[in-house]
Amino acid sequence: MSVETADPVGSGPVVLIVPAPVTFADVPPLCARLQALYGAGADEVVCDLAELTRADLASVEAVARLRLTARRAGRTVRMRNAGPELLALLTLMGLDGLTRPDGAAPT
């Protein structure tokens, strides 16, 4: 799991890269890392899902738990670069809103 800042000054969002393959055992450490980023003062976190090229239930669990972790911290998290297979699986499960910004209308 790696983290990078979007701009060298550090005023942009922090990017949490979700690694592939992700397993169910990887989800709690990912959520703990997100919580630690908020605890360290990150105002905005973006989860990059580009590496999740294989859509499975562990990927869905990771996306759902990361969103839940952000909500429990009173924050929002943005998801980006979700592949078509992951988007299709999330839609099939009725969770396609997890990859949209909070409150955004479906496209």
Side-chain angles (χ1 to χ4, degrees):
M1 171 178 15
S2 62
V3 176
E4 60 191 47
T5 56
D7 84 43
V9 179
S11 61
V14 174
V15 178
L16 175 63
I17 298 173
V18 179
V22 68
T23 66
F24 289 106
D26 296 325
V27 176
L30 279 170
C31 293
R33 181 66 183 138
L34 179 61
Q35 187 70 33
L37 290 170
Y38 290 136
D43 290 326
E44 183 178 7
V45 176
V46 175
C47 291
D48 191 315
L49 308 173
E51 291 187 20
L52 297 180
T53 57
R54 181 175 165 245
D56 58 14
L57 292 179
S59 301
V60 171
E61 175 80 4
V63 171
R65 292 291 176 176
L66 287 166
R67 178 60 63 108
L68 182 61
T69 298
R71 283 209 172 147
R72 286 181 175 165
R75 308 287 181 94
T76 59
V77 63
R78 288 187 298 138
M79 305 291 172
R80 74 174 184 200
N81 298 326
E85 288 182 10
L86 179 57
L87 291 173
L89 187 55
L90 287 166
T91 298
L92 181 66
M93 299 180 77
L95 301 172
D96 54 313
L98 295 178
T99 56
R100 293 191 304 265
D102 287 339
T107 56

